[in-house]
């Protein structure tokens, strides 16, 4: 694919934290939807596979842990959450972002790709509870896995971006009771990266004229049409939880996204701006939902620049960790 990009606008908010928004033109080549994106990606690095982080009703929920290339101790951790409209997908889908994965590992970050209950297995808040319980498991076992327990970021694509954003926004201060299946989590989120995610479920449903449908992806997640479960829909929307404790946020979205309109990221950014939260938004002109362009050198570079600024990997002793 031709990798020529045109930056059309850059601006900073007038609030205390800088926020950047750009529109990128993607030139040449055909674009594949998310369902076909995996075929274009190389295999991810080796991992500690199928770590059981909790069991629910006899079902083992698992994660794959990727260690940094240099095997440094106390590596900062990026928790990666797969997409799939909350109703499909698996932790192995991180292969769709293999360039980003391998760049993170080379830069000294550990990455945990997390599986969670899908909407056919359990309705909200099961999904965010699973994500938080996975992060809490890694926090409690950080010494075993060589992770810096005080440096955990959230990232994901599509539905995974929604869950990453919810973990980042709702886990601050005194978390609401729905956020975890056990006690309030001990870990804190230091940064969040979201690729083409939905952040306001009521607006998403209204904008796609399916607010009466309990069979839409968000309806299946919530256990009913959003307009009939408005309180739960607001509870499940990251925009509802933005506040002083929200960490820095990076958002990436395509302007030709028919699954999740880019207005979702723009509205989330506006809420972050209003709260004075450091954030950046990159809009890829003409890119569709799940477009492989988001894992090219340009956008991986944007993610790494953001993380190096707000969530840098520290240089630590090059010691082999027994995992």
């Amino acid at each position: 694919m031709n990798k020529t990009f045109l930056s059309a606008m850059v601006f900073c908010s007038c609030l205390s934290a800088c926020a950047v928004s750009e529109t990128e033109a993607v030139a040449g080549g055909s674009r594949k939807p998310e369902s076909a994106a995996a075929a274009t990606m190389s295999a991810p690095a080796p991992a500690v596979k199928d770590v059981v982080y909790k069991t629910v009703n006899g079902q083992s929920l698992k994660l794959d842990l990727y260690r940094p290339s240099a095997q440094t101790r106390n590596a900062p951790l990026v928790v990666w959450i797969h997409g799939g409209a909350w109703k499909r997908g698996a932790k192995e889908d991180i292969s769709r972002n293999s360039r980003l994965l391998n760049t993170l590992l080379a830069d000294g970050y550990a990455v945990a790709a997390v599986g969670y209950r899908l909407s056919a297995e359990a309705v909200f808040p099961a999904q965010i509870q699973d994500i938080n319980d996975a992060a809490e498991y890694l926090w409690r076992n950080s010494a075993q896995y060589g992770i810096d327990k005080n440096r955990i970021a959230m990232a994901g694509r599509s539905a995974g971006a929604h869950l990453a954003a919810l973990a980042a926004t709702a886990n601050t201060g005194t978390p609401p009771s729905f956020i975890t299946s056990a006690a309030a989590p001990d870990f804190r989120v230091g940064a969040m990266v979201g690729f083409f995610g939905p952040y306001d479920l009521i607006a998403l449903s209204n904008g796609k004229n399916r607010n009466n449908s309990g069979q839409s992806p968000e309806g299946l997640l919530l256990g009913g049409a959003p307009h009939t479960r408005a309180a739960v829909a607001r509870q499940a929307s990251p925009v509802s939880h933005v506040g002083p404790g929200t960490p820095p946020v990076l958002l990436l979205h395509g302007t030709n996204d028919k699954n999740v309109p880019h207005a979702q990221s723009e509205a989330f950014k506006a809420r972050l701006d209003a709260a004075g939260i450091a954030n950046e938004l990159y809009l890829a002109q003409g890119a569709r939902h799940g477009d492989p362009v988001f894992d090219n050198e340009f956008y991986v570079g944007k993610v790494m620049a953001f993380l190096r600024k707000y969530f840098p990997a520290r240089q630590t002793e090059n010691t082999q960790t027994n995992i």
Side-chain angles (χ1 to χ4, degrees):
M1 179 178 290
N2 188 318
K3 297 180 181 177
T4 301
F5 301 90
L6 173 63
S7 295
M9 65 178 179
V10 180
F11 63 89
C12 277
S13 74
C14 59
L15 300 171
S16 59
C18 180
V20 180
S21 177
E22 294 187 359
T23 300
E24 308 299 339
V26 184
S30 61
R31 300 183 180 89
K32 298 181 177 63
E34 182 158 348
S35 61
T40 70
M41 303 301 173
S42 60
V48 183
K49 304 285 285 187
D50 296 326
V51 177
V52 177
Y53 67 85
K54 80 173 186 181
T55 301
V56 182
N57 298 325
Q59 178 185 1
S60 294
L61 298 178
K62 302 175 182 179
L63 60 85
D64 294 339
L65 181 64
Y66 300 83
R67 291 282 300 141
S69 304
Q71 292 293 293
T72 55
R73 298 176 62 183
N74 297 321
L77 173 68
V78 176
V79 176
W80 179 264
I81 310 168
H82 69 80
W86 305 284
K87 62 182 180 179
R88 58 180 175 268
K91 56 185 172 61
E92 290 78 13
D93 291 348
I94 195 171
S95 63
R96 293 175 174 174
N97 290 81
S98 60
R99 182 192 293 270
L100 176 59
L101 170 61
N102 289 317
T103 305
L104 285 167
L105 299 179
D107 218 52
Y109 296 89
V111 179
V114 177
Y116 56 92
R117 284 173 288 174
L118 303 176
S119 57
E121 299 167 320
V123 298
F124 182 86
Q127 294 72 24
I128 189 58
Q129 290 177 354
D130 293 346
I131 297 305
N132 283 326
D133 288 345
E136 185 73 4
Y137 168 86
L138 291 165
W139 186 92
R140 294 187 180 280
N141 294 279
S142 57
Q144 175 186 354
Y145 295 119
I147 295 166
D148 185 341
K149 64 192 293 184
N150 297 314
R151 291 164 51 72
I152 297 177
M154 292 283 171
R157 53 189 284 142
S158 193
H162 160 262
L163 294 172
L166 191 58
T169 56
N171 277 356
T172 60
T174 302
S177 58
F178 74 83
I179 209 69
T180 179
S181 59
D186 294 297
F187 76 92
R188 289 294 178 263
V189 179
M192 179 262 166
V193 178
F195 291 85
F196 38 86
Y199 306 110
D200 183 335
L201 300 188
I202 293 177
L204 175 69
S205 190
N206 290 342
K208 295 182 74 67
N209 295 316
R210 58 191 188 196
N211 58 323
N212 292 319
S213 175
Q215 297 304 306
S216 66
E218 60 273 19
L220 294 172
L221 172 72
L222 300 173
H227 85 287
T228 67
R229 295 181 60 78
V232 177
R234 283 191 293 271
Q235 192 179 59
S237 297
V239 294
S240 301
H241 303 283
V242 172
T246 300
V249 172
L250 171 64
L251 304 171
L252 305 99
H253 220 123
T255 62
N256 196 29
D257 192 328
K258 304 301 184 183
N259 296 57
V260 180
H262 61 86
Q264 285 281 309
S265 284
E266 292 172 319
F268 190 23
K269 175 183 169 46
R271 192 67 60 90
L272 293 164
D273 284 344
I277 305 302
N279 71 92
E280 300 175 10
L281 168 62
Y282 294 94
L283 297 177
Q285 186 66 35
R288 299 188 296 184
H289 195 74
D291 199 317
V293 73
F294 288 107
D295 198 47
N296 72 13
E297 184 176 358
F298 181 84
Y299 285 107
V300 169
K302 292 298 185 185
V303 174
M304 297 309 300
F306 170 82
L307 291 176
R308 287 165 185 157
K309 180 178 181 180
Y310 294 108
F311 191 74
R314 288 199 288 261
Q315 295 297 319
T316 55
E317 180 183 354
N318 240 12
T319 302
Q320 184 76 24
T321 302
N322 181 15
I323 58 175

